[in-house]
């Protein structure tokens, strides 16, 4: 159990780097992390996921400038995702496939929050990965239909939104994102993702009264609910 939490935290640390570097077109390699304020190299013992942030009091060891809370936050979220997936499905190809999907979703969500854009460079290869992995999980047919349903659903939403609101309510990035989710979870998973994503989106964004709320994070939360509890929820509905 603890191993999965730690693994998630470490992987979250890597995702934090991607979220920062990918939109800025910086190289994503194993180059050392530096403090963006004073340029000092961050030592390994100051780079331990979650723990270092707490020990340093959220500040750089050298110049005492604030470390953004998002880094430990991304590490914690990824750690929880890894742990809950392992708890639900144990060790196997299904868990591996979901961990790949959830990691992509974490990166996509934070980039969407930052830039209001969901990069194709993550969602399109993601779709390919979902297709390949489906060979051992949901079957390649379901994965293909999942992509079609995911893309189709949001495409229809986008057209209706444009007719009603006279502006682009749904971005192309969101459409491809649900396609990627469909490639991992299949058509029913894509439907449930949209349903739960929209539900959480309405509950969260209505009180905020913001004009433009990125949909990527909500679709990601929807995918998480659909992937871990979708079958149980459907069984409950069928029984009643
Ligand atoms: Zn510094």
């Amino acid at each position: 159990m603890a191993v999965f939490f730690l693994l998630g935290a470490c992987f979250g640390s890597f995702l934090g780097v991607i979220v920062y570097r990918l939109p800025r077109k910086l190289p994503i390699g194993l180059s050392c992390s530096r403090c963006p304020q004073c340029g000092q190299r961050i030592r390994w013992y100051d780079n331990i996921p979650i723990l270092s942030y707490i020990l340093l009091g959220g500040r750089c060891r050298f110049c005492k400038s604030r470390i953004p809370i998002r880094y430990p936050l991304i590490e914690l979220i990824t750690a929880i995702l890894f742990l809950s997936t392992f708890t639900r499905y144990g060790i196997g190809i299904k868990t591996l496939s979901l961990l790949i999907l959830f990691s992509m979703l974490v990166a996509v969500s934070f980039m969407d929050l930052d830039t209001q854009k969901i990069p194709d460079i993550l969602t399109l290869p993601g779709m390919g990965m979902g297709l390949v992995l489906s060979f051992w999980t949901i079957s390649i047919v379901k994965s293909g239909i999942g992509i079609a349903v995911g893309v189709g659903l949001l495409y229809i939403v986008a057209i209706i939104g444009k007719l009603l609101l006279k502006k682009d309510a749904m971005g192309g990035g969101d459409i491809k994102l649900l396609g990627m989710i469909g490639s991992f979870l299949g058509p029913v998973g894509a439907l449930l993702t949209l349903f739960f994503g929209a539900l959480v989106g309405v509950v969260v964004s209505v009180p905020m009264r913001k004009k433009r709320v990125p949909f990527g994070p909500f679709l990601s939360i929807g995918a998480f609910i659909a992937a871990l509890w979708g079958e149980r929820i459907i069984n409950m509905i069928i029984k009643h």
Side-chain angles (χ1 to χ4, degrees):
M1 293 277 279
V3 173
F4 267 79
F5 188 85
L6 290 176
L7 197 70
C10 292
F11 210 73
S13 189
F14 171 65
L15 292 175
V17 173
I18 291 187
V19 168
Y20 182 83
R21 292 188 184 174
L22 195 74
R24 291 172 179 81
K25 307 234 187 299
L26 295 169
I28 297 161
L30 287 171
S31 63
C32 279
S33 300
R34 287 173 186 277
C35 167
Q37 291 303 318
C38 65
Q40 277 279 2
R41 264 179 57 186
I42 298 165
R43 311 292 151 93
W44 68 266
Y45 50 81
D46 286 339
N47 213 1
I48 300 163
I50 307 169
L51 196 66
S52 287
Y53 183 86
I54 297 166
L55 291 177
L56 289 167
R59 287 175 186 280
C60 168
R61 179 181 293 275
F62 302 100
C63 67
K64 304 287 169 208
S65 65
R66 281 216 163 277
I67 303 166
I69 182 82
R70 62 162 36 201
Y71 288 104
L73 194 66
I74 293 174
E75 287 157 5
L76 187 64
I77 289 171
T78 315
I80 291 170
L81 289 174
F82 272 51
L83 184 62
S84 45
T85 308
F86 166 69
T87 311
R88 177 80 176 81
Y89 292 115
I91 292 176
I93 189 88
K94 172 131 185 168
T95 297
L96 177 72
S97 153
L98 288 181
L99 293 185
I100 292 171
L101 172 65
F102 293 157
S103 300
M104 305 273 276
L105 292 178
V106 169
V108 162
S109 295
F110 277 90
M111 276 184 241
D112 197 12
L113 287 171
D114 281 355
T115 63
Q116 321 287 331
K117 273 195 194 102
I118 294 172
D120 290 351
I121 196 163
L122 287 182
T123 51
L124 294 182
M127 250 181 245
M129 250 192 290
L131 265 175
V132 172
L133 282 163
S134 76
F135 191 74
W136 296 277
T137 56
I138 58 170
S139 88
I140 204 140
V141 176
K142 274 191 184 173
S143 176
I145 300 172
I147 294 176
V149 168
V151 169
L153 274 174
L154 278 196
Y155 191 68
I156 293 167
V157 171
I159 290 173
I160 295 172
K162 192 152 193 178
L163 286 173
L164 291 179
L165 303 169
K166 309 268 181 238
K167 61 174 183 179
D168 288 319
M170 190 64 58
D174 295 315
I175 295 174
K176 282 168 241 167
L177 179 61
L178 194 57
M180 178 183 92
I181 292 167
S183 78
F184 281 88
L185 302 183
V188 179
L191 255 166
L192 287 174
T193 296
L194 182 59
F195 175 74
F196 291 120
L199 197 68
V200 177
V202 167
V203 170
V204 172
S205 63
V206 167
M208 286 184 2
R209 288 170 178 278
K210 270 177 121 180
K211 276 208 182 104
R212 180 150 184 97
V213 182
F215 196 39
F218 295 120
L219 276 180
S220 301
I221 294 169
F224 175 66
I225 299 172
L228 292 203
W229 298 289
E231 278 173 45
R232 284 182 190 179
I233 291 163
I234 290 172
N235 285 337
M236 253 169 53
I237 295 167
I238 292 170
K239 269 185 201 157
H240 283 282

